[in-house]
Structure formats: structure tokens, C-alpha cells
């Protein structure tokens, strides 16, 4: 009987997103009129379906989901609507021009050239390293060694420095790529930025990681839909054609890493197939939030949402392992996913979490509506905010110090446009 109700609650959670998508499509007048809001709604419906599908696979095997109730799902639905509002506002606002001043245009061109130059050495070193990762189980071995603190980056000293610059600007690279296409910039810019994206993806793949690969691939698609209204129909077809080739790199990389890591688990996993394992990766966040995070009584005191300023205040860098340990002190696993609202609830409680997130959403909306920012800055702001939802079913994308530094640098660059 308990399983019946838990499945019913999860089905209602799935139905919420599916219903919103159908209602929004009818409001737009066509299911073919796909925009960023449509993409997010159908994406969340899919991840909620995975939560429904894999509840029975994981419950009682290596997760205890007996505490699942309807209220936490309703809470997540309300938070989702709050998060979606700025994106919905952009998709349904008066069309503005994604233009920059001559001075800002020169700045963008120089930034693109710098990124292209920085991508050359890491890309070549990654290609040279390719034979080493083709060995069966190689990526899983690298990943396990990194978890144990024994792993090292395959890039050279200079390669790592150049790659760091790429990584610090990774939030803006898809935006710069779409902007270059819209503005008919030189093909070398478009090809160079595409290779920059691929370099980031294959570096993540070669180190056995999946999260950065998934984040960036989903984010690139989202950025396309944000810019879609500015792209002529003929160019959209070209973007879809060649973009599919670029995204296939991410798909192949994700499959390779997943197969390697699953194979290395042997009999240590209760999941009987790689498809179950991948599906659980996509759907466990909401289940974990509902059954575990929702019942936490303590607080992580702001460390899981404001790690960067607290690192500065404490005078010590807060690492990912530190965040895991902070979470574990609340009596729940620190190294699993709790959706994007998990850190906010852990830091500020249920009421405080939704209030803080509401304030952030309204702040983004207020800045978006300001007359003091141009159209390109508006689009960048929506993209940076939307990345929270893109990774949202899994975790909060700006939770670590590195990701918050990336966000800060992105905001500074956007302010200079």
C-alpha cells in the first residue's frame, strides 16, 4: 500500500509538469512553437517520469524512500514556478534587439579570440591523450582515482592554465557562439568557439566525470532556445544540423563514461542494467529531496549556497568534500543529489529556502526589466539564471566555490557589454 501511494505522489509530480507544458503549448497556439519555457517544461516532465520509473528500482535496495509524501513535491512545484518566471517573462515579452555598441562589439571579438587561442593547446593535448582513454575501463579508473585523491589531470602545466581560462568563461561560450552566428561573424569565430565547447566536453569525459558534461550539453540547448527568436529560419536549420554534430560529442562522451563506470562497479550495484543506472541519475534528485532533505532539522548555515563569500569570510577554501561533509552532519548522505532546492532548504530551512530563492528570482526579474541594460545583457542574464533549472532536477549548479567564481566572472563580463 505504501508503494502505491508513493508512486501516486510521484505520478502527480510528473503530471504537474506535463500539464503545464500542454497548457503553455496551447497558449502559444502550437506544440511546434518551441521556446525556452517549452524546453524546460518538457525536460522537467521527462526527469519527473524517470523519478516515477526508478522509484521501485532503488527503494529498499540502496535508498530508503519510505518517507515520500505529496507535500515536498508540491513545495518543489511552487519553487519551480518561481524559478521559471524570469524565463517565461523573456519568452513572452516584447521582442528587443540583441545589439551591442561598437565598443562592446570590439570587446566581444577580443574575448572570442582569447578563448580560441586558449583552446588550442588543451584541444591538441586531449587528442594526443585519446588512445589512453580508449582502453576498457580507463575513464572509470581515472574517476575512481580522483575520488581517492590520487588522480591527476592529463594536461600539461600550460595546458591546465589555458583550460582554466576556458572553464572560467564556460557559462558565456554558448552565448558567444549563438551571438556570433546571429551577427554573421567570421566563420573562424564560429568554428573556434565550437571547438572550445568540444574541448571542455572531452576534457570532462577523459577525466571520467559526467556532471560537467551533462550541465554544459543541456545548457547549450537552453541557450539556443533563448536566442531562437533572433535567429532567421534558414540559420536555425543550419544550427540544428551542425549543432547536432557538436552535441553528439557530448552524447557519445556521456555514454562512454557511463558504460565505463557502470562496468567497473561489477556486483557492487543493485541496478541490473546501465539504462537503470542512467535513469536513476536523471530521476533521483526529487526522490532524495522528498524522502531525505525534507526531514532534516539542522542547517548547513549558508555554506551550500554561498560557499564563495563564506570561504572569503572564513579565510579557507571550501572544497566539494567539505560541502559533502557539511551535508552529512545533518544525518543524510552528502554526496548524492537533492535538486537545486536542496542546498537552499539545507541552508535556510523550508520557509527560508523558498523566501531566499524567491528574492533571487525577483532580483533577476527586476534587473531584466531595467532600462539601464541592453538586449544582449538581458539574454545573458536569462541564460545564467536558466542554468539553475537546466541542472535543477539533479543539483544546484552554482553550489561550489569554482562555479560561483565562474558565475561572478560571467556577471562582470556581462556588465561590461
Amino acid at each position: 500500500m505504501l508503494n502505491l501511494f508513493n508512486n501516486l505522489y510521484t505520478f502527480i509530480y510528473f503530471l504537474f509538469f506535463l500539464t503545464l507544458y500542454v497548457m503553455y503549448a496551447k497558449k502559444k497556439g502550437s506544440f511546434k512553437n518551441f521556446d525556452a519555457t517549452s524546453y524546460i517544461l518538457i525536460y522537467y516532465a521527462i526527469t519527473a517520469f524517470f523519478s516515477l520509473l526508478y522509484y521501485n528500482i532503488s527503494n529498499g535496495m540502496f535508498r530508503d524512500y519510505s518517507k515520500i509524501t505529496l507535500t515536498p513535491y508540491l513545495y518543489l512545484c511552487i519553487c519551480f514556478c518561481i524559478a521559471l518566471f524570469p524565463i517565461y517573462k523573456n519568452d513572452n515579452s516584447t521582442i528587443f534587439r540583441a545589439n551591442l555598441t561598437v565598443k562592446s562589439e570590439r570587446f566581444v571579438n577580443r574575448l572570442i579570440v582569447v578563448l580560441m587561442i586558449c583552446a588550442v593547446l588543451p584541444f591538441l593535448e586531449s587528442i594526443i591523450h585519446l588512445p589512453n582513454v580508449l582502453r576498457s575501463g580507463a575513464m572509470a579508473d581515472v574517476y575512481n582515482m580522483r575520488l581517492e585523491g590520487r588522480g591527476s589531470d592529463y594536461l600539461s602545466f600550460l595546458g591546465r592554465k589555458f583550460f582554466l581560462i576556458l572553464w572560467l568563461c564556460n557559462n558565456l561560450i554558448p552565448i558567444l557562439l549563438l551571438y556570433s552566428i546571429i551577427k554573421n561573424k567570421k566563420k573562424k569565430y564560429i568554428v573556434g568557439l565550437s571547438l572550445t565547447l568540444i574541448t571542455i566536453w572531452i576534457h570532462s569525459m577523459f577525466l571520467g566525470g559526467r556532471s560537467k558534461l551533462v550541465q554544459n550539453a543541456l545548457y547549450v540547448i537552453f541557450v539556443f532556445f533563448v536566442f531562437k527568436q533572433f535567429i532567421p529560419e534558414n540559420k536555425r536549420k543550419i544550427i540544428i544540423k551542425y549543432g547536432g554534430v557538436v552535441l553528439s560529442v557530448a552524447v557519445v562522451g556521456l555514454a562512454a563514461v557511463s558504460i565505463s563506470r557502470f562496468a567497473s562497479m561489477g556486483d557492487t550495484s543493485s541496478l541490473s542494467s546501465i539504462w537503470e543506472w542512467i535513469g536513476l541519475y536523471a530521476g533521483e534528485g526529487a526522490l532524495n529531496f522528498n524522502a531525505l532533505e525534507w526531514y532534516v532539522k539542522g542547517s548547513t548555515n549558508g555554506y551550500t549556497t554561498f560557499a564563495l563569500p563564506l570561504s572569503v569570510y572564513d579565510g579557507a577554501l571550501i572544497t566539494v568534500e567539505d560541502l559533502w561533509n557539511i551535508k552529512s552532519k545533518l544525518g543524510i548522505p552528502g554526496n548524492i543529489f537533492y535538486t537545486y532546492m536542496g542546498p537552499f532548504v539545507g541552508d535556510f530551512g523550508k520557509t527560508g529556502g523558498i523566501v531566499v530563492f524567491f528574492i533571487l528570482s525577483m532580483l533577476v526579474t527586476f534587473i531584466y526589466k531595467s532600462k539601464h541594460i541592453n538586449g544582449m545583457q538581458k539574454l545573458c542574464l536569462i541564460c545564467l539564471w536558466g542554468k539553475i533549472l537546466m541542472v535543477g532536477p539533479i543539483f544546484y549548479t552554482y553550489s561550489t566555490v569554482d562555479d560561483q567564481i565562474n558565475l561572478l566572472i560571467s556577471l562582470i563580463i556581462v556588465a561590461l557589454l
Side-chain angles (χ1 to χ4, degrees), residues 212-245:
K212 288 184 175 63
L213 198 61
V214 172
Q215 285 188 66
N216 279 273
L218 292 171
Y219 179 59
V220 167
I221 299 173
F222 173 74
V223 172
F224 166 74
F225 283 114
V226 170
F227 278 82
K228 181 183 173 184
Q229 60 178 318
F230 303 98
I231 307 172
E233 185 64 31
N234 61 323
K235 285 189 177 181
R236 289 182 196 174
K237 294 179 180 179
I238 296 174
I239 292 173
I240 292 172
K241 177 181 177 180
Y242 291 101
V245 175

Side-chain angles (χ1 to χ4, degrees), residues 54-123:
Y54 292 98
Y55 160 77
N56 291 306
I57 293 173
S58 57
N59 185 38
M61 295 183 181
F62 60 98
R63 293 282 192 277
D64 180 7
Y65 290 143
S66 60
K67 291 185 178 181
I68 284 180
T69 58
L70 183 60
T71 304
Y73 282 145
L74 296 178
Y75 182 92
L76 286 177
C77 290
I78 294 172
C79 293
F80 172 81
C81 292
I82 294 172
L84 185 65
F85 181 76
I87 299 163
Y88 172 85
K89 183 76 176 176
N90 178 69
D91 282 334
N92 293 274
S93 63
T94 303
I95 295 179
F96 46 81
R97 297 176 66 85
N99 286 342
L100 292 173
T101 63
V102 174
K103 182 179 179 181
S104 295
E105 196 72 47
R106 285 199 296 265
F107 172 73
V108 167
N109 290 340
R110 289 167 184 167
L111 178 59
I112 292 173
V113 171
V114 169
L115 293 173
M116 289 167 55
I117 293 172
C118 289
V120 173
L121 186 57
F123 178 75

Side-chain angles (χ1 to χ4, degrees), residues 2 30 34 56 69 83 97 106 119 121 140 150 159 181 183-184 194 210 224-225 247-248 260 268 309 379 400 402:
L2 179 63
S30 172
F34 222 66
N56 291 306
T69 58
R97 297 176 66 85
R106 285 199 296 265
L121 186 57
R150 299 185 293 112
I181 294 173
K183 295 302 179 181
N184 293 312
S194 298
R210 295 186 301 173
F224 166 74
F225 283 114
L247 286 173
S248 67
S260 178
T268 62
L379 295 173
T400 68
D402 288 344

Side-chain angles (χ1 to χ4, degrees), residues 351-371:
T351 302
I354 197 171
V355 168
V356 170
F357 199 76
F358 176 81
I359 291 172
L360 291 175
S361 179
M362 291 303 101
L363 179 61
V364 170
T365 304
F366 175 77
I367 296 174
Y368 175 86
K369 294 169 65 175
S370 172
K371 297 179 180 179

Side-chain angles (χ1 to χ4, degrees), residues 86-271:
I87 299 163
Y88 172 85
K89 183 76 176 176
N90 178 69
D91 282 334
N92 293 274
S93 63
T94 303
I95 295 179
F96 46 81
R97 297 176 66 85
N99 286 342
L100 292 173
T101 63
V102 174
K103 182 179 179 181
S104 295
E105 196 72 47
R106 285 199 296 265
F107 172 73
V108 167
N109 290 340
R110 289 167 184 167
L111 178 59
I112 292 173
V113 171
V114 169
L115 293 173
M116 289 167 55
I117 293 172
C118 289
V120 173
L121 186 57
F123 178 75
L124 292 176
E125 291 184 353
S126 295
I127 297 301
I128 293 172
H129 186 69
L130 180 61
N132 296 324
V133 302
L134 295 179
R135 175 176 55 85
S136 177
M139 287 179 282
D141 292 342
V142 173
Y143 177 78
N144 292 330
M145 289 175 64
R146 285 199 298 120
L147 287 182
E148 296 168 3
R150 299 185 293 112
S152 60
D153 198 327
Y154 63 86
L155 296 177
S156 66
F157 175 81
L158 283 178
R160 291 196 299 272
K161 300 307 177 186
F162 283 130
F163 185 81
L164 176 61
I165 296 174
L166 298 184
W167 180 243
L168 290 174
C169 297
N170 81 90
N171 292 327
L172 296 179
I173 292 173
I175 297 174
L176 293 173
L177 176 58
L178 265 296
Y179 180 76
S180 298
I181 294 173
I182 292 172
K183 295 302 179 181
N184 293 312
K185 289 187 180 294
K186 297 177 182 178
K187 287 185 178 180
K188 65 179 181 180
Y189 287 172
I190 298 172
V191 173
L193 287 171
S194 298
L195 288 177
T196 300
L197 270 181
I198 293 175
T199 300
I200 292 174
W201 292 349
I202 59 179
H203 179 266
S204 176
M205 180 183 73
F206 288 178
L207 292 182
R210 295 186 301 173
S211 63
K212 288 184 175 63
L213 198 61
V214 172
Q215 285 188 66
N216 279 273
L218 292 171
Y219 179 59
V220 167
I221 299 173
F222 173 74
V223 172
F224 166 74
F225 283 114
V226 170
F227 278 82
K228 181 183 173 184
Q229 60 178 318
F230 303 98
I231 307 172
E233 185 64 31
N234 61 323
K235 285 189 177 181
R236 289 182 196 174
K237 294 179 180 179
I238 296 174
I239 292 173
I240 292 172
K241 177 181 177 180
Y242 291 101
V245 175
V246 175
L247 286 173
S248 67
V249 175
V251 174
V252 170
L254 179 61
V257 173
S258 298
I259 291 170
S260 178
R261 284 172 54 180
F262 182 81
S264 71
M265 295 171 70
D267 297 328
T268 62
S269 173
S270 299
L271 301 179

